[in-house]
Amino acid sequence: MAMTNTTTPTAPTGVARSARHPIPERLRRRVKAVPIPLAMLLIVGALLSIAWDVAVPPFQGPDESSHVAYLQYGAENGRMPSVRAGGASTEESEALRWLNLRPLAGNLSARPAWSSADLKIWHEIEHSMRRGSRANGAGENPLAKNPPLYYAAMAIPYRMFVWLPLLKRLFVLRLLSALSYLATIALAWVIAGEVFGPMRWKQTLSAGVVALEPQLQFTSAVINADSLLIALTTAFLLAALRAVKYGPSMARVLTASGLAGAAVLTHGRGLVTLPVLAVVLLVSWIKYRPAIRETIVKGSAVVGTVGAAFLAYLLLGRASGGSRTLYGGQVGELNSGASFNLRQFLSSVYQFYFPRLQSLRPRIGPEYGYRQVFINTFFGTFGSLEVMFKQRLYDALQVLSAVGLVGFYTAVITRWRRLWASWPIVVVMLALLLTTLVFLHYVSYRALLGNGGSDPLIVGRYLLPMVSLFGLAVVFTVGSLPRRLGPLVGAVILSIGILLSLTGVGITMARFYA
């Protein structure tokens, strides 16, 4: 029998590799498509967030022990905590006690128990804990009033790394929570591209201002629902801008309404997205004049999406045995007590920003206003609000902010024709700005009425969901300068941001470890 040589055809090497490894190849192409400036900003942001994670001891972010208790209770028991039960577990309580972490908050003279002997004792205590020490959260948790989305999302990595000891587990969870911060940087880059066009230096400056905001970095490095709220609100702004820029297609409308629904499921401050969403629909209707039937269908889709978010929140809260009202009844509490006085409210808002006129009565509450919110606690007040820059640095930041505001006003006056030509985008951005400020001032005013004028309630990090607007305002102002001067001034601004970031990390480490 004659022997014949047969060969099996083989695919080209590149095709075979692509068939065997389709996902890495696709991922590689996407990574290569990321602009180099954005990639560098993301790397810098990741390194800064890690540095903050190291600098801030466990549970030393604003109300971080309560946030961790909420997350742990939900991840271990599969339900939301209630105000009456769902506080710190034995595991968390023992760590706060033995590592001196509870008295550390707000006490500048205290230091964590961080020596090798302290850690050895803690490890022995941790290993001797009974089964169920992670899931037995009891007592009150005031943050149980928060909606569950952030904690539900973080419960996934919690379960993945539940085998780690508490401190290492918390460190990893902080790192994963920081992904929201990196997403915010990337979203700020895309938003700048939508507003200013694909001008690399403007996108770099806008996203860089966001990435180098010290308070945002600090917030990213602790367990706190604010980090997810900031990312969702930034994504919502991008979806809103695209809806008014390219038209309210069903996909764009559902994206914007879905992000708004996610924001209200993350924090009560996410409610500000709803009036903005209404403005987006109105502006889109005025600009594109869709048919009545199409308008009704899309409006119904928005109402259905947001309504589904509220309904899911209510049902989950009732199934968990928690509050039967949204946000733990905080909306009703704000509107109870002393009656709302419009004249007093407007006077209070005026005196928040400007010196009191003789014709006005003193505002209720302490001496607390623009400087404390827009300067001190926006640019940097860390730890449990006790780690601060030196006052002369805040003075300098206030002067620079004033110069920036004058420059922004001048740019608006000189470029008003361009702004008018882009009125839908301007209206959406103004809607987010004004809605957020009115919401915060109203909540602060009602809180002051309810607590006897002792606590104005608002701090600078509550402005961070608008941080992309801050970056856009900087770029708009700097972009109005002569062509060669603009990028140079932008580089100086980013250099100041780097110095502030490194200084913030430094003083935080000195406060806790020196």
Side-chain angles (χ1 to χ4, degrees), residues 325-407:
T325 58
L326 295 172
Y327 308 105
Q330 292 181 93
V331 176
E333 290 175 6
L334 280 175
N335 293 311
S336 63
S339 60
F340 179 80
N341 186 314
L342 180 60
R343 183 174 181 178
Q344 185 184 45
F345 171 70
L346 295 177
S347 173
S348 178
V349 172
Y350 177 86
Q351 293 178 59
F352 182 91
Y353 295 98
F354 306 104
R356 182 174 69 90
L357 300 175
Q358 291 184 353
S359 59
L360 298 177
R361 293 182 179 181
R363 69 187 299 265
I364 58 174
E367 292 294 329
Y368 191 85
Y370 169 82
R371 164 71 179 242
Q372 287 73 26
V373 175
F374 283 82
I375 305 297
N376 293 15
T377 57
F378 176 75
F379 286 106
T381 301
F382 314 113
S384 295
L385 304 181
E386 83 276 19
V387 183
M388 298 177 287
F389 295 121
K390 292 184 177 179
Q391 288 303 313
R392 62 174 176 268
L393 181 54
Y394 291 121
D395 293 338
L397 288 172
Q398 186 167 3
V399 171
L400 290 175
S401 298
V403 171
L405 286 173
V406 171

Side-chain angles (χ1 to χ4, degrees), residues 86-236:
S89 64
T90 298
E91 181 186 55
E92 181 181 340
S93 298
E94 291 295 280
L96 290 168
R97 174 188 174 192
W98 286 99
L99 297 176
N100 200 41
L101 296 173
R102 194 184 301 279
L104 187 61
N107 185 354
L108 290 174
S109 63
R111 295 294 182 271
W114 226 238
S115 67
S116 57
D118 294 323
L119 291 176
K120 182 179 179 180
I121 294 174
W122 164 245
H123 292 321
E124 293 175 355
I125 294 171
E126 193 172 28
H127 292 150
S128 66
M129 287 184 188
R130 295 180 179 179
R131 185 179 181 87
S133 297
R134 295 193 308 265
N136 63 351
E140 297 182 356
N141 188 340
L143 293 185
K145 297 178 179 180
N146 282 0
L149 184 59
Y150 170 76
Y151 309 97
M154 291 299 294
I156 298 173
Y158 177 96
R159 297 305 307 176
M160 292 174 60
F161 295 98
V162 71
W163 51 273
L164 286 175
L166 174 63
L167 299 183
K168 292 181 180 179
R169 192 189 325 139
L170 182 58
F171 183 82
V172 172
L173 289 173
R174 281 177 164 189
L175 292 178
L176 294 173
S177 184
L179 294 177
S180 295
Y181 162 62
L182 299 181
T184 301
I185 297 172
L187 289 165
W189 173 281
V190 179
I191 288 174
E194 293 290 349
V195 175
F196 300 111
M199 298 183 67
R200 285 290 184 256
W201 79 269
K202 290 188 176 181
Q203 288 181 284
T204 302
L205 178 57
S206 184
V209 167
V210 171
L212 297 175
E213 211 288 329
Q215 190 69 33
L216 180 61
Q217 298 162 20
F218 164 69
T219 302
S220 77
V222 298
I223 302 299
N224 194 312
D226 281 4
S227 57
L228 180 59
L229 177 65
I230 294 164
L232 287 173
T233 306
T234 307
F236 167 77

Side-chain angles (χ1 to χ4, degrees), residues 248 281-292 294-295:
L281 296 177
L282 178 61
V283 169
S284 299
W285 185 83
I286 293 173
K287 182 178 179 181
Y288 296 98
R289 297 287 180 169
I292 295 179
E294 182 182 355
T295 302

Side-chain angles (χ1 to χ4, degrees), residues 73 79-85 144-145 313-326 328-329:
Y73 186 88
R79 61 181 184 271
M80 293 170 57
S82 69
V83 177
R84 297 179 300 277
K145 297 178 179 180
Y313 181 15
L314 278 173
L315 293 177
L316 183 59
R318 294 182 180 183
S320 300
S323 174
R324 295 176 177 271
T325 58
L326 295 172

